Amino acid sequence: MLTTSDQRGYLAYSSLLVAFATPLLLLLPFLWDGSSSFLLFQDAQDQTYAWWQKLAHGWNAGYLPLWDANIYSGRSFAGEIQASVYYPLTWLWLVLFAQDGSMPRLAIELSIVLHFSIASSTMWCLLRHWKFAPAAALFGALSFALMGPVAERAAAQPNIFFGLCWLPLAVQFASLHVESGRTRFALAAGAVIGLQVLSGHAQPAIHTALLCGVLCSYFHWRREPTHYQRLRAIARSGAPMIAALVLVALPQLLLSMEYLSDAYRWVGPDPIGPGESVPYRIFSRDFSVAPMQLWSLIDPWRVRWIDNNTLHLSVLGLLMIAMISARKTWRERLKQLLPHWPWMLVVSVFALLAMLGHLTPLAHILRKLPVLGQIRQLGRYAILFQFCFCVFAVAAFTVLQQSVVEGRRQAAAIVALMATGVLASSLYLAGGLSKSSIFTLLLALATLATLLNTFLRRRLFAPMALAALLCSAWLYRPLTLPAAGSSPLPEQAFAELTVLAPVLADYGQARIILDESTGLPKNYADAHSMQSRLGHSATMYRPYFDFLAIDWSLNSEINDLLNMRYVLTRNELDLPLLGRDEARKLNLYQRPSAYPRLFLASRYGDAAHSAPESLTLEHYDDHRIEFRFSLTNADTVVVSELTYPGWCAFLNDQPTAIHNAVLGGREIPLRAIKAPPGDHRLRFEYRPFAARIGGCS
């Protein structure tokens, strides 16, 4: 016979299993039948889907791609950070699902759904660590994972979503650290934040570090008697966290700092250079929240926030917090249950003021700070509000479940619930509320009505609250998981085109200009063996952009030097036509003026005869390029590949220096190698870490 302790243990493990399994059961059926997809929006298709194809291609070829030869005429793949190259779950997925140089869409979707389960499970573990009952922890875990800015981020920028899912685990380790004083928990918190960096974006790590920093500072400030001791204690907590963060994320940090130190960022129509501040208008206005948009807490189906930052964490949770706030004895009970409430309340107010942008002075202050000033979308501070809101809702859940409502207060509560229901129905009839919001609100009111009867409260409140939450999550699902139809599925958008067969055959020997009129994804080349002039990402290597900006016209010499031999467009051009896709109305043209991938500086100005004798391409992939050619006289060989730190050159197996090419008296960011007469084998290898430590010898 099971003891009471055993029964409690099974109940806890069962609730954890439900927390993990619910997102799978809620989301997977709609992905399996193709009716919905997380990969419909531009960032999700052009970055997540396309870069998974690049990862799978490199993995199947025997390497983990750190350089991307397919877009922007070559770029740092890992340095852009959002490709998640060093994320351990990326490696696991490559082992399990990469096949024939590609990653199936369903495998990518499964990775996203798995992170919903991670978000729910990590939040459950944190709430259980803070001594909440399994049912209450389950309520908070599902609220955190299935609604609000965490869930909506999955379809907008999955790489940011991946990082957000680990946030509760880092907070739990920070909480364990301040409770026990053990350094190992501070190291664990920093390691989780480092994992967030590896998952594909710095913003989740910054937001999590804010939470952990405020948590530790609050408790040290309360415990230590003097300012000096407080600051020393805070430093003792922060130092191991920072050390672990840097150690875990070091490969990513090295490549990202190297790349971003000389890259433009796109935060508006115009790029900003390294170290430049985001323009105040963009920082404080473009992605902030108007006060009326806070109505999304009640009706997210009608009121949406820009960039998927909509605040909605269940109407039931909101009403429970409102009920607790209305009664002093309940507020005191909440404070006893949640000793973290002061710092979480401060964080909630801070997040709300940050989201309001230019409407408060906080935006001006944040823009001046060295790290926070680089987060251009103030609406993304919604994650801090969501986290704290979920914890407060769980505390309110617990207080209400354990409280008794006296007869006089029962009558007042009944009147309040009925009045709220009538008001909500009136707003719905007047067009002020959507059908989904009125349903969830009435369901929440019915759940709260169980509190008025002691018998019902003890037996039905928890299951009814969880049922109401799941109904809300079900209605919220279309906002989290968009329906396919309005946008093509990524495998359709990235489908291989027969007309591009000549381009695929010339991989490593010619590049293509994919005109915007084609309607193809901007990172189309990443999913195929082709190389394009441009792509889609938040950044671009500055020397390359400056080189293109000399002349953006189609027939520019810049395109010639970049080996742009092909053009795909819907327009009619005065160029030799190589093929036509009648179904899509696409024309493939050839640019005869393009220089070959390798040419001689002495023959600059004569593209048709600029290649050395017996030029052959022996090997070409992201990390290794090999040519063979012969020279009658000593010359400078120009290779239409970007000069970039970490690339090493070997002429006849001997290390040789790479210089920026100088053509027509102008220095350009293409590789130039001096070579004597004779037969030569020229090899380039990308060695970002070895070159940094020991050079190219």
Side-chain angles (χ1 to χ4, degrees), residues 302-539:
R302 180 158 293 175
V303 180
R304 308 290 298 152
W305 286 15
I306 193 170
D307 193 44
N308 293 73
N309 293 313
T310 303
L311 273 185
H312 182 73
L313 307 152
S314 85
V315 174
L316 178 57
L318 180 65
L319 292 180
M320 288 192 299
I321 293 175
M323 289 182 67
I324 293 296
S325 302
R327 189 175 179 187
K328 183 178 179 180
T329 55
W330 285 351
R331 291 199 303 270
E332 294 301 322
R333 177 61 181 148
L334 182 145
K335 293 176 182 179
Q336 295 173 5
L337 281 172
L338 187 63
H340 296 269
W341 75 268
W343 71 263
M344 296 184 71
L345 183 60
V346 170
V347 169
S348 300
V349 173
F350 164 80
L352 188 59
L353 293 176
M355 288 185 286
L356 291 173
H358 68 283
L359 298 177
T360 74
L362 186 58
H364 184 76
I365 298 172
L366 290 174
R367 183 172 173 269
K368 298 295 183 181
L369 298 178
V371 177
L372 300 183
Q374 297 302 309
I375 301 178
R376 66 182 174 96
Q377 300 192 10
L378 293 177
R380 290 185 182 174
Y381 281 97
I383 177 57
L384 302 181
F385 189 91
Q386 178 187 16
F387 171 79
C388 297
F389 187 101
C390 286
V391 177
F392 283 131
V394 171
F397 180 107
T398 304
V399 171
L400 293 173
Q401 191 177 28
Q402 297 174 354
S403 301
V404 176
V405 183
E406 301 88 350
R408 187 173 58 183
R409 295 185 183 275
Q410 283 183 352
I414 291 173
V415 172
L417 292 176
M418 292 178 63
T420 304
V422 171
L423 176 61
S425 301
S426 300
L427 286 172
Y428 169 65
L429 294 174
L433 284 176
S434 66
K435 185 181 296 185
S436 295
S437 66
I438 188 65
F439 179 80
T440 57
L441 182 56
L442 294 177
L443 193 59
L445 294 175
T447 303
L448 292 176
T450 63
L451 292 169
L452 306 180
N453 182 287
T454 302
F455 176 82
L456 294 177
R457 172 177 55 81
R458 290 178 177 176
R459 289 163 176 77
L460 295 181
F461 177 68
M464 282 190 67
L466 291 170
L469 179 66
L470 289 175
C471 288
S472 297
W474 176 266
L475 294 172
Y476 197 75
R477 177 193 49 77
L479 307 182
T480 300
L481 178 57
S486 58
S487 300
L489 290 170
E491 60 266 37
Q492 299 167 346
F494 283 86
E496 188 169 301
L497 302 175
T498 305
V499 72
L500 291 174
V503 185
L504 301 177
D506 263 357
Y507 181 68
Q509 301 182 76
R511 295 191 174 96
I512 183 171
I513 298 173
L514 296 175
D515 189 74
E516 289 189 2
S517 66
T518 62
L520 294 175
K522 293 183 181 298
N523 283 348
Y524 182 85
D526 259 331
H528 303 280
S529 294
M530 61 169 41
Q531 298 176 280
S532 64
R533 180 177 69 162
L534 294 175
H536 175 76
S537 67
T539 60

Side-chain angles (χ1 to χ4, degrees), residues 118-128 137 140-141 144 168 387 390-391:
I118 290 173
S120 180
S121 301
T122 55
M123 191 65 175
W124 184 93
C125 291
L126 171 64
L127 294 169
R128 287 291 291 150
F144 179 77
F387 171 79
C390 286
V391 177

